[in-house]
Amino acid sequence: VVLGSANVDLVVRQPRRAEPGETMFGTSFQTGPGGKGLNQAVAAARAGGDVAFIGAIGDDAFGAQLREVLDAEGIDTRGLRVTALPTGVAQITVTDDGENAITVVAGANETAELRDPERALIAEASHLVVQLERPEALLIEALRHARAHGVTTVLTPAPARAPIDELLALADVIVPNAGEAALLAGVADAEEAAVSLSRTVPTVVVTRGAEGAVVAQRGEIVSRVPAAAVTAVDTTGAGDTFTGVLV
C-alpha cells in the first residue's frame, strides 16, 4: 500500500533557470500525472507489485485524470477519496541539463483523516510506503497502524524537512537522497549520514544520483550499489521510481 500524494504535473522545459524579473521562452509545455505517492505506486505496479493507493483528489478534471491513470496501471483505488478541495498540482521546471525545480500546491493532499476502509487496506499489506507530501499526523497514524499489524513500513523523507523524529522511529526502511540524509543526520557526507541514521532506522538506503546507492544497517555500511550509466533527460520522479521498484 502506498499512502501519498497525487498531483497533476505542469511541466515547462527551458534552457536554464530564469533570473528574478527575467522573462524567458520555454521550449515545451505538458501536463501529466505525478505526486510522490502516485509515482511510487505506479513504479511498484510496473515492477510487478500488487499495489493499492491511498490518496485524495478533487472533484475536477485533474482528479478524474489521475483516477484513470491509476486504473490503467491496475492499482487498487478503493483508498482514493474525492474531496471538496481541488486536486493537487506541481509546477515543474526542467532545464536543458536535465535538472528540475518543483513547486507543489497540495490541494486535496492536505486531507488528514484515515478512514476504516483505508486502515483495512494497510492491515492486509506486506509494506506501507509513505512520503512527506501528506499531513504528518496522518502519516504517523498510518505508520502506527501498520506497525501494529506487522506491516513493514517504508518512509521516503521528501520533500526534505527536519526534525521528523517520530516518523523515523516508526520506519523500518527509509529511502532518502544524499541531501535529505544529510539534513536528517546533521552531517554532510552521504555515507556518514546513512550510518548515523541506521542507528535509529533498521535499514537506510541513500540514493546518490550518478554515484548509485548506499545501504546501512545497525550503524555500518552493508552495501554500495553503482548506478547504471545513462545520459540524464529528466530527473523528475527518479527517486520515487527507485523506491517503488525497491519495495
Side-chain angles (χ1 to χ4, degrees):
V1 170
V2 179
L3 185 158
S5 54
N7 297 321
V8 169
D9 291 345
L10 312 175
V11 185
V12 173
R13 288 185 173 269
Q14 59 194 64
R16 55 175 173 80
R17 294 188 183 185
E19 298 297 330
E22 179 183 13
T23 298
M24 176 185 294
F25 283 100
T27 55
S28 69
F29 172 76
Q30 64 186 90
T31 64
K36 294 184 183 300
L38 185 144
N39 291 344
Q40 291 175 353
V42 169
R46 290 185 179 182
D50 180 10
V51 184
F53 180 70
I54 297 174
I57 55 176
D59 184 14
D60 50 34
F62 281 166
Q65 177 183 340
L66 295 179
R67 183 182 291 276
E68 288 176 3
V69 168
L70 291 165
D71 288 341
E73 297 289 344
I75 295 168
D76 185 336
T77 58
R78 286 178 292 168
L80 183 66
R81 73 169 73 182
V82 178
T83 76
L85 294 168
T87 299
V89 296
Q91 183 230 316
I92 302 174
T93 297
V94 182
T95 49
D96 283 350
D97 60 3
E99 292 299 319
N100 66 73
I102 305 173
T103 301
V104 175
V105 180
N109 294 306
E110 294 178 347
T111 304
E113 179 191 7
L114 190 67
R115 302 176 300 180
D116 287 343
E118 296 156 359
R119 291 174 178 274
L121 284 173
I122 292 170
E124 296 168 358
S126 62
H127 295 70
L128 171 67
V129 186
V130 303
Q131 328 78 40
L132 302 183
E133 289 185 333
R134 299 294 303 275
E136 185 166 333
L138 171 67
L139 304 182
I140 290 170
E141 184 179 1
L143 290 170
R144 284 176 176 166
H145 183 67
R147 276 281 182 87
H149 288 82
V151 178
T152 300
T153 55
V154 182
L155 168 66
T156 306
R161 68 172 184 262
I164 53 168
D165 295 346
E166 192 166 2
L167 290 171
L168 292 177
L170 291 167
D172 296 311
V173 183
I174 61 169
V175 192
N177 63 26
E180 292 154 0
L183 175 67
L184 292 173
V187 295
D189 181 77
E191 292 202 5
E192 288 182 19
V195 167
S196 176
L197 290 168
S198 72
R199 296 188 178 103
T200 301
V201 181
T203 299
V204 179
V205 183
V206 178
T207 61
R208 303 185 295 174
E211 297 179 19
V214 61
V215 185
Q217 294 176 321
R218 297 174 298 279
E220 63 180 358
I221 300 295
V222 297
S223 183
R224 295 178 180 88
V225 183
V230 300
T231 300
V233 175
D234 180 358
T235 58
T236 308
D240 301 330
T241 302
F242 180 96
T243 300
V245 174
L246 174 68
V247 173

